[in-house]
Amino acid sequence: SGISIVRVETDGKQSLWSYAGNRPLALLTNVDNLGYYTWLDVETVAMVLVDEPPRLAIATVPNGAIAEIPVQPGRSLQRVPAIGTLSFVDKSNDDTWWISDYDRHSGKIRRIAPALADSEDFAWTPEGELLMASGRLLYIWRDEWELIADLSDRVSGAITRIAVGPNGRQIAFVTLEGGL
């Protein structure tokens, strides 16, 4: 019935707001350093808090309760289809970043796949397939990264953000002009 956004105030504070109809509403009044987020269900939001280093946290919107997850997250946060766990790029290890998931009920973190070099954005298809780009190449995870599209002749820069449409038939992405 509405949308949620990160609203950046004139003083630089970044907070989560809901817009339903004509009435904007601050959702987490105790958070003013929100960078990226994803909804896990109608009351639970996972977020990257933009501190140095960034922090990963999960909040309950009605009461503002926040639980931190002890990792160094990248900017991409995604709900894993059908499972409902939180997936993210874990940048805690400087040598290898991992796409991992966090089960908020058990508190366990599980590694899914190594992130591709120079990339931290990924997306899930509705069927649960993991996609990631490196430069102008798009890959799918099937026990290893498999190339599914070379977009070098169609895009002018490195692919960064990725999103898959709800029916799985469209993929949207952002390219970095003059990128890798």
Side-chain angles (χ1 to χ4, degrees), residues 5-19 24-29 31-35 50:
I5 64 161
V6 174
R7 181 170 150 173
V8 180
E9 305 294 340
T10 56
D11 63 1
K13 292 180 180 176
Q14 298 178 193
S15 54
L16 184 63
W17 283 72
S18 170
Y19 287 83
L25 175 68
L27 296 178
L28 294 169
T29 56
V31 176
D32 63 5
N33 60 339
L34 178 64
V50 287

Side-chain angles (χ1 to χ4, degrees), residues 15 52 66 69 72 86 109 131 146-147 152 159 169 180:
S15 54
E52 194 52 49
I66 297 175
I69 302 165
Q72 185 175 339
L86 167 66
I109 296 173
L131 305 177
E146 294 179 18
L147 179 67
S152 299
I159 298 169
R169 298 186 69 182
L180 303 173

